[in-house]
Amino acid sequence: MKKVALLGGSFDPVHNGHVAMADAAIENLGVDEVWFIPSRKTPLKNHMLTSPKHRLNMLRAVCREHPKFKICDVELKRNAESYTIDTVRQLKDLYKDIDFTWIIGADQARQFQAWKEPEELLRLVRFAVADRDENLKNLTLPDGMVVMPMEPVEVSSSEIRDGKKLNLMPESVRQYILEQELYMPKWIQCQMDPNRFAHSCSVARLCRELAHAHGLDEHKAWLTGLFHDIAKDLPKEEQAKWVKAVFPPSALQEHDAIWHGYAGSEIVKRVYGIYDPVIQNAISNHVKGTSYDPYAMIVFIADKLDPLRGYDSSALYQACLHDLYNGFLLVKAENKAYLEKEKKQNGHS
Ligand SMILES: [Fe+2]
Ligand SMILES: [Fe+2]
């Protein structure tokens, strides 16, 4: 008889914790396949779920890398809250020749009595509780539940939605999230103060508009704008560490207001998985406007002409929409004049 482990969840997004549970089911329970069952609406959760299309595509990316992982979309097809009891009944009805085990974590096992029809559920299907030994020790399991000791990966989907522990998801999922602009701008919100966050969103919007006007990749420009100040609110010592790691020592000799561009170009790669050298170059050069790559010119312009800076930049912005290169030179000249004036006022010249 074919043995299948079932793993329910919103998978918003799927992460390494889910993958570890599925791997453990194959290794420790000897199942032939693991079926991921994405839920439509989850009774005990209250955040707005990402669309089924995206959640499915992220699961598909994982299944492509794990031949024994499959997707079962019965809950998505049912236009109602996703109760496990309904799913179990449906699957047992559809697949009479499969031996199912439903995988849950120790936390879920503790809440099990709050599930719909717990006694009936235990009668219908075997449950395996996956967690580390110490979490399973103080748990009295009802008949029908077995333990599956494993070392869980400490990450939750909500942490990933908040831009934390981004290395604890499959790379293919991270790339899909970036491509589809999911969970953003939330990913950068937790890295900066509210004003800088508003500025970053505004710059991203202008970048997209400028890219559109000049027939460039709007998504790439938007990402560049959104992440351009990702390092700016980090302590200077931390910025310096990032700069030191990849740039020649001369970079740290420059004014420390410039460091966040260099640091940001490395952070987007290491933390967020943005490997596009064009984006890295644009972020690296955004403070001084030292690169003539179109995306670097765009982010420099958008950063300097952001209306949230509080002065009327509309004429210059129109010039940039019309002619990127000459607009960039104008903005650069204006920025230089402004910095010199500031220096004079501060008595440094
Ligand atoms: Fe900046
Ligand atoms: Fe900025």
Side-chain angles (χ1 to χ4, degrees):
M1 203 172 184
K2 183 169 163 179
K3 288 163 83 179
V4 169
L6 304 171
L7 196 54
S10 46
F11 303 112
D12 190 11
V14 58
H15 54 64
N16 286 1
H18 301 125
V19 174
M21 267 174 133
D23 277 338
I26 289 165
E27 274 172 40
N28 302 342
L29 300 179
V31 298
D32 303 295
E33 289 175 359
V34 178
W35 294 3
F36 290 80
I37 309 178
S39 55
R40 174 167 282 274
K41 296 177 194 163
T42 314
L44 300 172
K45 290 185 181 170
N46 49 16
H47 81 275
M48 279 283 291
L49 288 179
T50 302
S51 77
K53 178 187 99 176
H54 289 312
R55 289 186 290 129
L56 273 173
N57 282 340
M58 291 188 277
L59 281 170
R60 284 187 188 115
V62 173
C63 291
R64 273 196 290 275
E65 292 155 6
H66 299 263
K68 291 184 176 178
F69 293 3
K70 310 278 176 214
I71 299 167
C72 170
D73 62 359
V74 286
E75 292 193 358
L76 289 179
K77 283 183 174 154
R78 219 166 44 221
N79 195 13
E81 296 231 351
S82 298
Y83 289 106
T84 306
I85 185 77
D86 302 330
T87 307
V88 168
R89 283 193 179 118
Q90 200 176 343
L91 289 179
K92 290 200 53 125
D93 205 37
L94 282 170
Y95 307 98
K96 294 194 168 57
D97 54 345
I98 294 182
D99 176 33
F100 288 115
T101 305
W102 195 289
I103 313 289
I104 56 176
D107 283 349
Q108 287 173 299
R110 276 191 201 93
Q111 295 178 357
F112 190 72
Q113 287 308 319
W115 289 27
K116 193 178 164 191
E117 299 182 47
E119 304 306 324
E120 183 62 5
L121 259 177
L122 286 168
R123 203 184 60 76
L124 288 175
V125 72
R126 179 189 317 109
F127 280 84
V129 187
D131 213 322
R132 59 167 61 97
D133 280 331
E134 64 204 63
N135 291 346
L136 296 168
K137 239 181 240 163
N138 301 322
L139 205 61
T140 319
L141 297 180
D143 287 344
M145 279 196 192
V146 297
V147 297
M148 184 177 79
M150 63 168 279
E151 200 51 43
V153 180
E154 296 295 346
V155 59
S156 67
S157 294
S158 75
E159 286 176 308
I160 291 186
R161 290 196 300 276
D162 287 345
K164 296 170 196 144
K165 302 187 181 176
L166 300 180
N167 56 330
L168 294 181
M169 66 180 142
E171 185 56 33
S172 54
V173 174
R174 188 160 71 164
Q175 291 306 318
Y176 183 84
I177 290 170
L178 286 169
E179 255 165 47
Q180 300 295 324
E181 302 174 4
L182 305 180
Y183 314 123
M184 278 174 267
K186 191 113 196 253
W187 272 16
I188 63 150
Q189 189 173 14
C190 55
Q191 299 299 325
M192 51 188 70
D193 75 41
N195 288 337
R196 189 157 337 275
F197 175 62
H199 162 69
S200 299
C201 294
S202 178
V203 169
R205 189 181 55 78
L206 295 183
C207 283
R208 172 122 60 197
E209 208 169 70
L210 285 159
H212 178 79
H214 297 293
L216 294 160
D217 183 333
E218 295 174 39
H219 167 66
K220 191 192 288 218
W222 181 83
L223 269 186
T224 309
L226 191 67
F227 281 88
H228 80 284
D229 273 345
I230 194 69
K232 193 149 182 183
D233 282 350
L234 291 178
K236 289 288 177 195
E237 315 81 74
E238 214 174 312
Q239 290 184 26
K241 259 192 236 161
W242 283 101
V243 177
K244 223 173 167 175
V246 271
F247 287 86
S250 58
L252 279 179
Q253 305 300 316
E254 296 186 54
H255 195 290
D256 64 7
I258 293 159
W259 295 355
H260 75 278
Y262 298 145
S265 70
E266 190 60 13
I267 288 172
V268 292
K269 180 168 80 180
R270 301 262 173 228
V271 179
Y272 297 92
I274 299 174
Y275 301 114
D276 187 334
V278 171
I279 295 181
Q280 289 166 31
N281 171 67
I283 292 176
S284 178
N285 287 287
H286 86 267
V287 187
K288 292 196 291 180
T290 30
S291 166
Y292 291 83
D293 177 85
Y295 295 90
M297 292 198 282
I298 280 178
V299 74
F300 178 80
I301 292 166
D303 185 29
K304 301 296 179 277
L305 302 188
D306 173 15
L308 295 181
R309 289 191 186 270
Y311 65 95
D312 183 11
S313 53
S314 50
L316 257 181
Y317 186 64
Q318 286 307 317
C320 295
L321 280 174
H322 180 69
D323 182 334
L324 183 61
Y325 179 71
N326 284 308
F328 170 73
L329 293 181
L330 284 173
V331 176
K332 225 177 136 165
E334 172 129 320
N335 186 243
K336 198 174 162 211
Y338 168 78
L339 290 175
E340 275 166 9
K341 200 172 123 197
E342 243 201 358
K343 250 191 193 176
K344 261 187 205 160
Q345 276 172 357
N346 292 336
H348 292 309
S349 66

